[in-house]
């Protein structure tokens, strides 16, 4: 009889232990001190806010645009949109036409006018190709 009572008590204790949820820590683990002191580096600029616009165009439309003269002469291609810390468009990074290798210049938005070409847009500038090529190189 004693064996039966001991077996029943053991079984009850075993079932009770297995049915309890695992205990959770009172607080979450802290980050290592090394992580807090590590330098913060960014290799690419932050993405433009979804609603960022300039010249009545979205960032995506600006990045697809060609830079041309009012006569339609190709000046270069927009490579990327330059943004300030708040995500506002402040300029465009252009690869001038006819360059022998990858070279970029930064131009302000002043003096640019969008022109719809089919489903796309071109940006009309008052600059000449020589003026664009004479601008200092922009480095990412």
């Amino acid at each position: 009889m004693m064996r039966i009572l001991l077996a029943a008590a053991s079984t009850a204790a075993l079932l009770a232990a297995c049915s309890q949820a695992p205990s959770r820590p009172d607080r979450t683990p802290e980050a290592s001190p090394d992580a807090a002191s590590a330098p913060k580096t960014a290799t690419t600029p932050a993405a433009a806010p979804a609603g960022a616009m300039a010249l009545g165009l979205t960032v995506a439309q600006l990045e697809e645009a060609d830079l041309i003269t009012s006569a339609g002469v190709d000046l270069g291609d927009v490579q990327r949109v330059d943004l300030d810390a708040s995500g506002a468009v402040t300029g465009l990074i252009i690869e001038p036409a006819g360059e022998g290798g990858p070279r970029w210049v930064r131009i302000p938005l002043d003096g640019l006018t969008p022109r719809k070409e089919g489903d796309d847009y071109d940006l009309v500038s008052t600059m000449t190709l020589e003026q664009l090529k004479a601008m200092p190189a922009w480095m990412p």
Side-chain angles (χ1 to χ4, degrees):
M1 180 76 162
M2 188 63 126
R3 284 186 184 172
I4 294 174
L5 286 176
L6 185 58
S10 297
T11 303
L14 183 60
L15 286 174
C18 291
S19 65
Q20 291 179 358
S23 64
R24 293 177 34 184
D26 292 342
R27 60 188 183 102
T28 58
E30 294 180 18
S32 71
D34 293 338
S37 63
K40 309 283 189 276
T41 58
T43 56
T44 58
M53 293 185 72
L55 304 171
L57 302 175
T58 65
V59 170
Q61 289 171 320
L62 289 167
E63 289 176 341
E64 292 293 319
D66 291 327
L67 188 66
I68 62 171
T69 66
S70 59
V73 175
D74 184 33
L75 295 175
D77 297 323
V78 177
Q79 296 299 305
R80 66 190 267 186
V81 175
D82 197 19
L83 305 169
D84 66 11
S86 70
V89 179
T90 59
L92 301 173
I93 308 305
I94 306 292
E95 182 178 16
E99 288 289 314
R103 179 178 176 275
W104 303 283
V105 297
R106 183 192 180 281
I107 64 169
L109 298 174
D110 298 337
L112 298 179
T113 307
R115 179 189 291 172
K116 189 160 177 64
E117 293 291 327
D119 291 337
D120 297 322
Y121 287 89
D122 289 334
L123 298 172
V124 180
S125 175
T126 57
M127 296 178 73
T128 66
L129 184 56
E130 291 74 29
Q131 290 171 324
L132 191 65
K133 286 183 176 185
M135 294 183 76
W138 177 86
M139 300 297 290

